[in-house]
Amino acid sequence: LNQPFKTGTTMVISGIIRPPPDIRAVADRTALFVSKNGRAFEIKILNSEKGKTPKFAFLHETSPFHAYYEDRIRFYEEGGTDEDEQKKKE
């Protein structure tokens, strides 16, 4: 599922790769905030010093975790909650 494939000279990662727990927590919180408050918040982070740190690398389309982040925004926009997620795991 997460097999990279080549398009021309660019390597593209298909599928969603779950980030490690520390990055996932930041990605989830950011996605929740963006889903409620819009992309302006994301742009604000990207233009800040914080946005240039590895902690927020998932905001960049070149990150292997960007698809996870985008998926989380959709999840929250569609009314999903972290509580729903916990129930699925139990």
Side-chain angles (χ1 to χ4, degrees), residues 31-86:
L32 177 60
F33 201 90
V34 168
S35 73
K36 289 181 177 177
N37 301 293
R39 294 283 178 165
F41 179 71
E42 178 183 287
I43 293 163
K44 194 173 175 181
I45 294 172
L46 280 167
N47 292 329
S48 73
E49 284 306 307
K50 263 193 216 174
K52 295 173 181 65
T53 64
K55 182 177 175 181
F56 286 98
F58 62 84
L59 292 174
H60 301 275
E61 289 182 13
T62 54
S63 167
F65 306 129
H66 187 73
Y68 172 84
Y69 166 68
E70 290 294 335
D71 185 65
R72 295 311 287 177
I73 292 172
R74 277 189 300 281
F75 171 76
Y76 291 127
E77 284 175 345
E78 292 167 2
T81 65
D82 293 325
E83 289 77 37
D84 294 340
E85 202 91 327
Q86 287 302 324

Side-chain angles (χ1 to χ4, degrees), residues 4-19:
F5 60 91
K6 286 192 178 226
T7 57
T9 57
T10 308
M11 192 78 140
V12 177
I13 297 171
S14 65
I16 294 176
I17 301 169
R18 282 175 63 97

